[in-house]
Amino acid sequence: DAGITQSPRHKVTETGTPVTLRCHQTENHRYMYWYRQDPGHGLRLIHYSYGVKDTDKGEVSDGYSVSRSKTEDFLLTLESATSSQTSVYFCAISEGLTSGSTDTQYFGPGTRLTVL
Amino acid sequence: GEDVEQSLFLSVREGDSSVINCTYTDSSSTYLYWYKQEPGAGLQLLTYIFSNMDMKQDQRLTVLLNKKDKHLSLRIADTQTGDSAIYFCAESRRNNFNKFYFGSGTKLNVKP
């Protein structure tokens, strides 16, 4: 299994509070991603990173920000959590297309966030 | 998201074959993937196929790719109750920061 951990694994918070989720990898992969998973929507990309300090928005980025100050960590922040951000959040990593490899994404175990 | 579609549910009997279908729209796909998600867990890579291949077999799994119709399928032979899960197809596209586009997932229910 790819070395990806997410913390916390579960969190309950109140509307309006800031929340930061952490993704940590030990694979030295270049690309990192944050997704949210909701019933009927599959996985939707929130933000992604293609290197240290290089990030960009995905399809559902409103209300979220990210930071990547070192290769192994990718942080997702909800500045002021809302009930619509109750979801399961997955981090993924990828080496990207390199000689002899595919661009497979490997997923972390997920963080279940509830915003009351 | 973004034009990758799957049917939502599939129910089969143990020992039968399961076929999960996926359609996509972008012709610049590089690889197409199948992931499995068990309850409360993350996504586990099952198999993948390069976009210039027609078929790939891996033990009980057979992936068929019809590029003309942009149709991908996953066949699971001799389906077991442990195969009950949600299956996601995903495509990666050339020169797109390695972003994936996922279907909504097909929930496979295997009845004993």
Side-chain angles (χ1 to χ4, degrees):
Chain A
D1 286 345
I4 313 167
T5 56
Q6 292 185 232
S7 59
R9 294 294 313 280
H10 301 271
K11 186 168 182 69
V12 180
T13 192
E14 294 191 348
T15 298
T17 58
V19 176
T20 295
L21 308 183
R22 180 182 184 235
C23 178
H24 179 78
Q25 60 146 328
T26 57
E27 306 296 322
N28 201 37
H29 281 1
R30 177 183 175 188
Y31 296 89
M32 298 185 76
Y33 309 83
W34 277 108
Y35 293 90
R36 60 178 288 173
Q37 184 179 27
D38 305 289
H41 289 279
L43 280 93
R44 293 182 291 176
L45 182 64
I46 305 171
H47 280 279
Y48 63 100
S49 170
Y50 47 97
V52 173
K53 292 187 171 37
D54 291 323
T55 66
D56 205 349
K57 297 178 181 180
E59 62 180 305
V60 290
S61 58
D62 286 349
Y64 302 95
S65 63
V66 290
S67 67
R68 191 165 177 206
S69 59
K70 39 187 181 172
T71 299
E72 55 266 36
D73 288 325
F74 193 32
L75 304 181
L76 176 71
T77 297
L78 292 66
E79 301 288 350
S80 177
T82 67
S83 58
S84 65
Q85 293 176 311
T86 292
S87 188
V88 181
Y89 291 85
F90 288 101
C91 173
I93 66 173
S94 173
E95 216 173 356
L97 266 179
T98 59
S99 176
S101 83
T102 68
D103 50 4
T104 302
Q105 289 189 13
Y106 298 96
F107 283 80
T111 295
R112 184 173 293 274
L113 176 67
T114 303
V115 184
L116 301 174
Chain B
E2 205 155 325
D3 304 324
V4 179
E5 295 189 352
Q6 301 177 238
S7 53
L8 291 181
F9 299 101
L10 177 65
S11 184
V12 300
R13 292 215 170 271
E14 191 173 22
D16 288 349
S17 291
S18 308
V19 179
I20 302 171
N21 295 301
C22 174
T23 58
Y24 61 99
T25 59
D26 198 289
S27 57
S28 70
S29 299
T30 50
Y31 285 91
L32 294 116
Y33 294 85
W34 285 104
Y35 286 86
K36 176 184 180 182
Q37 185 182 33
E38 295 181 349
L43 275 71
Q44 171 195 353
L45 177 68
L46 272 183
T47 188
Y48 62 88
I49 188 167
F50 187 46
S51 57
N52 69 354
M53 294 171 64
D54 299 323
M55 186 183 89
K56 180 179 180 182
Q57 186 147 7
D58 184 0
Q59 299 182 332
R60 291 190 298 124
L61 305 178
T62 303
V63 179
L64 295 177
L65 176 60
N66 181 330
K67 273 199 88 168
K68 176 175 166 290
D69 295 338
K70 297 188 177 63
H71 183 265
L72 179 74
S73 67
L74 174 70
R75 178 178 181 269
I76 306 173
D78 187 25
T79 312
Q80 303 298 306
T81 54
D83 295 323
S84 292
I86 301 175
Y87 291 80
F88 291 92
C89 67
E91 59 161 340
S92 62
R93 297 174 187 172
R94 202 173 301 280
N95 299 323
N96 203 12
F97 293 103
N98 212 55
K99 287 191 286 185
F100 275 23
Y101 298 87
F102 284 88
S104 298
T106 299
K107 186 169 185 179
L108 175 63
N109 179 41
V110 183
K111 294 180 276 190

